[in-house]
Amino acid sequence: TQPKGLRKWEKYILLGYLTLLNLLNYLDRYIGSSTKDLYKKDLNLSDFQTALPVTGFVIVFMISNPIFGILTDAGYSRKKLLFFGIVSWSLSTVGTYFSTNYTGLFVSRSFVGVGEACFSVIGPSLLGDFFMETERTVIFMIYNIAMPFGAALGFLLGGWIGEMTTWRIAFLICGFPGILLSFCVYFISEPEIGRYDNGSSNDITLLESCKLLFTNKPMLVLLGATVCFTFSAGGLADWLVPFFHRKFGTNIKYAGLLVGIITVIGGIGGTIIGGVLANIMKLRMRNALFGVSCIGVVASVPFIAISLFVPSENTSLILILVGQLLFWWSSGPTDAIVANVVHISARAKAYALYHVANHLLGDSISPIIIGAVNDKVNDISLSLLITPVVLAISGIFWGYGWIFLPKQSLVTSRNEETEEFVVYGESSENSLFD
C-alpha cells in the first residue's frame, strides 16, 4: 500500500533526489580536505589551524541538529525545512570564496553545519516514511552510496580546481549546484509520518524522547560503533590528500584524483557489498546488520594500518582501497538500524542524536588531533596511526551488537496506559547463525 495521495513511482523519485542531495552534501564537506595544503600556504597556517574549521562545523552542527529533530517530530513541514537546509549549506560553501583571512574561512565553513544538520535529519526521516521496514536496508544502501561518491568528487574537484585556479574558486563552483537543486523540493510529496510503522506517530516530549533513546540498548551500541568509525573515517578523509602530498611528493591535483578514485570505488563498492550481504544474511545470521558491519570493519584494520608505512605509493593506494571496501560495509546497515529500533515518535530526534554524537565525538576531533600530533612529531604516517586503532574499537562495538543484543530488537508500539514502549521479537539465543 502506498501512502495516501501518492503514486507508486514518487517514492523512487524522492530516493533519487535525496541521494543526489546527499552527494552534494558530502562534496561540499570534503572540498576543504582536498584544498587544505593550498589555503594552509596561502594563509600561513599550522596543521592544527587547518583542521579547526571542521571542529567549528561540528559545533554548529551539534547545536542545530536537535532543533531540526524537534521541529520535524513536532510536525513542521519537512519540505520547507529541507529547502532551508539545502540553501543554507550551499550559500555557506559559496561564501568561502569571499574569505580574505582565516576568520572568514573558519566562519563560512562552520556555518555549513546548519544546512547539513537539517538535511541529516530530514533526509532519512522522509525515506523511513516512504519505504517499509523490509525495504529499508537496500534503500539506505542506495542513499548512502552518495557519501563516498560525494566525498570523492570533493577530493577530485577541490584539488583539480584549486590547483588550476585558486582554492577560493573551488568553493564557489562547487556550492552553486545545491542552490539550483533546492527549488525541486516543492515538486515532491510529503508522506504521513510513520506511514509504514505500527503504533501512533503522535509527538512525544523531548524528555520522553531522551529517555527512550538512552534506554534503547541497540541504539547505544550503534552509537558506540559509529562514533569510533566516524572518528577514523573522518580523520583519514581529512588527511589523505596531505598524506600522499607529503609522504610521496604527489602534487595536490593528482593526490586529489587518487584519493577520489579509491574513495568512490571503495565507498560505493563497500556500501553495496555491505547492504547486499546484510539483506542476504538477515534470515541466516542473528542481528545481520551488526554482524556484517563487524566483519567488514574488523577486517579493514590491518590494511589501513599497513598502508601508512609502506614505501610504495601504489602499494599504499591498494591497501587503502581494500580497507575502504571493507569498512564501508557498515554504511547501509547503520541508517536501517536507527529506523528499525526507534519508535516513530522519536525517529527524527534519534537521527539528530545519532549525527550529533558521531560528529561531536568523531570527525570533529580526529582531524585536529591528527593535526596537533603532526605539528609535534612531523610524521604524517605516525600521526594517522590512531585511525586504525580506533577503527578496531568500532569493530568491538559492532561485534557486541552482533553477538549479545537480543534478536530483532525492534520498537513497534507505545502502550498509552503505561506510556511504555513495546519491543517485540527479543531472544536470548546466542547462536550467531540461525
Side-chain angles (χ1 to χ4, degrees), residues 23 104 210 399:
L23 182 151
C210 291

Side-chain angles (χ1 to χ4, degrees), residues 136-146 271-276 332:
R136 287 174 188 156
T137 300
V138 174
I139 293 305
F140 281 116
M141 176 195 74
I142 295 170
Y143 175 73
N144 285 319
I145 282 174
T271 299
I272 292 174
I273 293 170
V276 170

Side-chain angles (χ1 to χ4, degrees), residues 243-244 248 303 306-322:
F243 168 74
F244 283 106
F248 301 110
F303 291 97
I306 296 170
S307 72
L308 302 175
F309 296 97
V310 293
S312 166
E313 179 184 64
N314 291 335
T315 304
S316 181
L317 278 169
I318 293 170
L319 290 170
I320 293 173
L321 173 60
V322 174

Side-chain angles (χ1 to χ4, degrees), residues 30 36 57 61 74 109 163 179 181 187 214 249 261 397 412:
Y30 285 105
K36 181 190 292 283
F57 159 85
F61 186 102
R109 295 309 291 159
E163 280 226 329
I179 297 174
L181 279 176
F187 295 100
F214 284 105
I261 290 173
F397 277 103
T412 58

